[in-house]
Amino acid sequence: MYQKLDLDKINRNEAPPQEEPARQYYFMAKCRNWVNAFTQENGRPPRACVTTFGCQMNARDSEKLMGILEAVGFCPTDSEQADFVIYNTCTVRDNANQRVYGRLGELNRYKKQNPQMKVALCGCMMQEPTVIEKLKKSYPFIDLIFGTHNIYKFAELLCASFETEGMLIDIWEDTDKIVEDLPVDRKYPFKSGINIMFGCNNFCSYCIVPYVRGRERSREPKEILREIERLVAEGVVEVMLLGQNVNSYGKNLDEPITFAELLREVEKIEGLQRIRFMTSHPKDLSEELIEVMKQSKKICRHLHLPLQSGSTRILQQMNRRYTKEQYLELAERIRREIPDIAITTDIIVGFPGETAEDLEETLDVVRRVKYDNAFTFIYSKRTGTPAAAMPDQVPPEQVKEGFDRLLKLVQETAREQVAKYQGQVMEALIEEVNESDASLVTGRLSNNTIVHLPGDASMIGQILPVSLDECHGFYYTGYCAYKETK
Ligand code: SAH
Ligand code: SF4
Ligand code: F3S
C-alpha cells in the first residue's frame, strides 16, 4: 500500500526504473521540479482541479488522479480557474460527450487569462478515435490526452507534458496490467470506493463500456483486503466495492474465487461497518450471494439490479442473457429472502425495434418489482456497438412518450417503497452538513434512502439511530434517536 513516500529521496538524475509502481514514484519526484519552479516564480503552489463525468469507477479514478497531483505538490481546488485542470470523461451516452465539449470552450477562456494553465483530458471518451480527431482539430489548446488503460501512468504523462510544447496524446488499445499502491486523495474521510475489478466482458449490444474499458480483470483478493484494512485504520466505516459486473468477480484469477467469497472475507475486517457494491448483473447473481447478504451484518440492504428492459425479445437483442421471467423470479427471490432490501435499477427506453408492447412489458416489471429507485435513460446510439447498426431506430417522439410514462411509474413505486419505514428508527451514516440548511445534516440508511436531521459537522462519519418521522417522497426528515435507544 502507498505510504506517504518521501519523493525528495528519489534520485531524479538516474534513469527511471522499469517496474511499477516505482517508475511512477520516480516521475512523481520529477514532477516536483516543475511544481517547485512554479511555486518560486508565483509565490504560491499551483492549484489543480479534477472534474469527473460518469460513474463511480470514474469518481474513484479521479481520486487517484488527485492523489498524485497532491503528492507532487499541487493544491486541490474545485474551481476550474486553476493551474492544472483535468476532465475525467464518460462516453456511455452522447450527452456525456456533449457536456465535455460544451465546457471546453470555457476552459479555453480561462487558459487565455492564465497562459501557464495546463488542460488535460482522460477517461472513457478518450478511447474513441473520432473524439481524438475532433479534439486535435478543434481544441488545440489541450496539453495532455490519455485514456483508461494507461491512467496508472498519470505521473509519467504529467511529467512528459511539462517537458513538451503543444498537445501530448497517449492512448492505448488495451492492457492486462493492474498497478497497485499509487496515492489516492479520498473525497470522504469515512467512506470509500474500492475497485475490485476493471473492464467488462458482457458486450451488451448498446453499450460502449467494454470497448473503452477493455476486458474484465479482477484484483487479487489479498490486495483488496489489504486496501480496505488500511482504509479502516484511517477511519473509513463504509466501503463500496466497484466493478461493472461484480458478480463475475474472481472468475479469471489464477486462484478463482467468487464474489460471495470475497464478501465473506471483507465482512471479517474489524472496524468496517458497512459494505456496498455496484453493479450486479442479473445473469450472474448467485444463490450464494443472496445467502451471504442475508446472513451479513455489514452488507447494506440495497441491491442495484439493472433491468434495462422488461421485454424478453428486447433483452435478447440487448444481449443481456436473461428473460423477463428469469429477472422477475430473481427479484422475487431476493425480496422473499431479504425482505428489508431496497432494489434499484437502470432502464433504457427506445432501444432499436422497441414497440409499445415491449414498453408495456417493462412497465409490468416495474409494477411487479416495485423498485425503490430507478435510473431511466433514453437510448443513445454509440458508434461501434452492434445496436448502432440495428434497423428500426425508434423515433424520438415515441421514445419521449414512453420515457415519460416510465418515469411517472418508477416515481410512484419509489415513493411507495421509501414511505414503508415511516415512524421507524433506523441507522444512518451521517455524510454531510445539509447544503441548503446548515442546521441539518444528511444521513444515508443502509437501504440507501436519505434522511435529513438536526445536527452539526461533528456527527459526520458516525452511524447513528435516526427516527424517520416524515417521508417527503424520496427522502425523510427525522431526529437523532441516540438518547432514546441508549
Ligand atoms: N455495468 C453496469 C452498467 C454501466 S453503464 C451494468 O451492466 O449494469 C450504466 C447504465 O447506463 C446502464 O445500466 C444502462 O442502463 C445505461 N446505458 C449504457 N449504455 C447506454 C446507451 N447506449 N444508451 C442509454 N443508456 C445506456
Ligand atoms: Fe455495459 Fe453490459 Fe458491461 Fe454493464 S454489463 S458495462 S451495460 S456491457
Ligand atoms: Fe461512463 Fe466510462 Fe463509467 S463510459 S459510465 S465513465 S465506465
Side-chain angles (χ1 to χ4, degrees):
M1 180 64 53
Y2 170 81
Q3 303 282 0
K4 283 219 170 348
L5 273 178
D6 190 351
L7 292 179
D8 291 328
K9 285 209 179 112
I10 295 175
N11 186 344
R12 307 161 208 204
N13 300 319
E14 281 178 5
Q18 287 305 311
E19 71 280 9
E20 299 290 2
R23 187 175 172 87
Q24 298 315 308
Y25 297 159
Y26 170 91
F27 283 107
M28 280 157 61
K30 260 196 124 172
C31 284
R32 282 254 173 110
N33 294 344
W34 187 89
V35 170
N36 291 342
F38 182 101
T39 309
Q40 278 209 325
E41 195 178 318
N42 297 279
R44 61 164 179 89
R47 288 185 292 254
C49 173
V50 180
T51 302
T52 311
F53 300 81
C55 65
Q56 314 239 14
M57 261 142 290
N58 254 22
R60 183 65 179 157
D61 284 345
S62 289
E63 292 185 345
K64 297 177 183 174
L65 296 170
M66 190 49 105
I68 289 174
L69 288 164
E70 276 198 80
V72 307
F74 281 86
C75 283
T77 167
D78 289 334
S79 161
E80 290 184 356
Q81 277 172 304
D83 304 298
F84 183 85
V85 176
I86 182 161
Y87 279 2
N88 189 9
T89 63
C90 170
T91 186
V92 77
R93 286 170 289 275
D94 188 53
N95 54 12
N97 298 42
Q98 295 315 322
R99 276 172 54 218
V100 169
Y101 291 129
R103 285 170 66 162
L104 278 173
E106 188 113 354
L107 280 193
N108 194 14
R109 269 199 304 285
Y110 294 153
K111 193 165 166 161
K112 282 193 181 124
Q113 290 159 12
N114 173 10
Q116 294 193 83
M117 177 177 173
K118 296 240 170 220
V119 175
L121 293 182
C122 68
C124 296
M125 195 175 149
M126 300 304 117
Q127 292 297 134
E128 294 189 275
T130 49
V131 169
I132 301 298
E133 285 316 307
K134 182 165 173 165
L135 293 173
K136 280 206 277 201
K137 217 166 106 204
S138 310
Y139 303 88
F141 63 91
I142 297 166
D143 299 282
L144 171 63
I145 297 177
F146 57 97
T148 54
H149 305 304
N150 53 347
I151 189 167
Y152 72 89
K153 282 193 176 275
F154 176 49
E156 184 168 350
L157 292 163
L158 185 66
C159 197
S161 112
F162 290 149
E163 290 163 5
T164 313
E165 279 294 310
M167 193 187 272
L168 177 68
I169 305 178
D170 190 16
I171 308 289
W172 297 1
E173 272 186 22
D174 215 337
T175 184
D176 53 8
K177 232 181 154 106
I178 297 178
V179 177
E180 303 281 353
D181 296 341
L182 289 169
V184 182
D185 171 54
R186 277 185 290 110
K187 193 169 167 204
Y188 301 96
F190 55 88
K191 68 170 185 178
S192 179
I194 316 271
N195 299 104
I196 62 165
M197 59 204 296
F198 302 93
C200 182
N201 284 355
N202 287 314
F203 290 95
C204 302
S205 65
Y206 50 82
C207 183
I208 194 96
V209 171
Y211 304 88
V212 296
R213 285 272 172 173
R215 292 296 63 72
E216 195 175 286
R217 303 175 310 283
S218 294
R219 282 176 75 195
E220 287 293 338
K222 67 171 188 320
E223 295 288 356
I224 296 168
L225 297 170
R226 199 163 63 109
E227 181 173 354
I228 301 176
E229 279 162 8
R230 206 181 150 81
L231 289 168
V232 170
E234 289 171 6
V236 164
V237 292
E238 177 180 300
V239 291
M240 163 86 89
L241 309 180
L242 298 171
Q244 292 297 351
N245 176 14
V246 292
N247 293 331
S248 66
Y249 169 78
K251 286 189 178 147
N252 302 323
L253 287 170
D254 291 342
E255 283 177 51
I257 157 172
T258 64
F259 178 54
E261 283 164 345
L262 177 74
L263 281 173
R264 277 206 186 93
E265 294 304 311
V266 176
E267 172 106 19
K268 287 182 200 155
I269 297 177
E270 231 169 281
L272 179 65
Q273 301 193 52
R274 280 183 166 186
I275 305 166
R276 298 185 184 276
F277 53 85
M278 269 294 220
T279 298
S280 260
H281 195 303
K283 79 174 163 60
D284 299 310
L285 198 145
S286 65
E287 237 1 273
E288 190 195 6
L289 177 67
I290 301 177
E291 202 46 43
V292 169
M293 288 185 79
K294 194 174 153 180
Q295 287 165 4
S296 170
K297 298 258 181 303
K298 297 184 180 175
I299 301 174
C300 287
R301 291 312 191 226
H302 174 212
L303 185 70
H304 188 63
L305 194 64
L307 168 69
Q308 313 301 359
S309 167
S311 153
T312 297
R313 191 180 68 85
I314 294 292
L315 285 169
Q316 207 168 21
Q317 298 285 308
M318 287 177 160
N319 192 30
R320 289 292 287 181
R321 287 172 277 179
Y322 51 84
T323 62
K324 175 188 182 188
E325 288 69 30
Q326 284 167 334
Y327 184 98
L328 280 173
E329 206 264 319
L330 179 63
E332 275 165 29
R333 187 157 19 119
I334 294 164
R335 286 234 192 262
R336 198 170 52 237
E337 298 285 333
I338 315 169
D340 56 345
I341 203 161
I343 302 181
T344 59
T345 202
D346 290 346
I347 300 172
I348 299 174
V349 181
F351 183 84
E354 189 181 65
T355 62
E357 289 78 48
D358 293 317
L359 184 78
E360 286 307 323
E361 301 275 5
T362 301
L363 297 173
D364 185 43
V365 177
V366 173
R367 274 185 214 106
R368 294 217 224 166
V369 177
K370 290 197 193 331
Y371 290 107
D372 295 77
N373 196 4
F375 298 96
T376 50
F377 304 108
I378 288 178
Y379 167 74
S380 172
K381 189 170 170 176
R382 307 318 287 136
T383 309
T385 62
M390 287 180 187
D392 305 325
Q393 303 277 332
V394 185
E397 323 74 67
Q398 188 185 324
V399 178
K400 174 83 175 67
E401 200 200 314
F403 182 83
D404 290 346
R405 281 184 65 201
L406 174 67
L407 191 64
K408 194 160 165 281
L409 182 63
V410 295
Q411 285 174 348
E412 280 167 24
T413 67
R415 276 207 172 87
E416 201 181 308
Q417 286 294 108
V418 172
K420 278 198 316 197
Y421 301 99
Q422 173 128 350
Q424 294 196 21
V425 173
M426 289 175 107
E427 286 192 331
L429 170 59
I430 309 301
E431 299 196 334
E432 58 199 3
V433 172
N434 192 302
E435 272 178 22
S436 46
D437 181 347
S439 70
L440 299 177
V441 289
T442 300
R444 193 179 292 272
L445 307 181
S446 168
N447 69 12
N448 217 32
T449 298
I450 293 290
V451 55
H452 303 293
L453 57 147
D456 58 45
S458 69
M459 292 155 78
I460 292 174
Q462 294 186 47
I463 296 180
L464 299 171
V466 176
S467 66
L468 305 174
D469 295 340
E470 205 176 325
C471 183
H472 303 262
F474 304 109
Y475 66 92
Y476 278 98
T477 47
Y479 276 88
C480 177
Y482 192 59
K483 289 191 188 79
E484 284 94 297
T485 59
K486 217 176 167 186

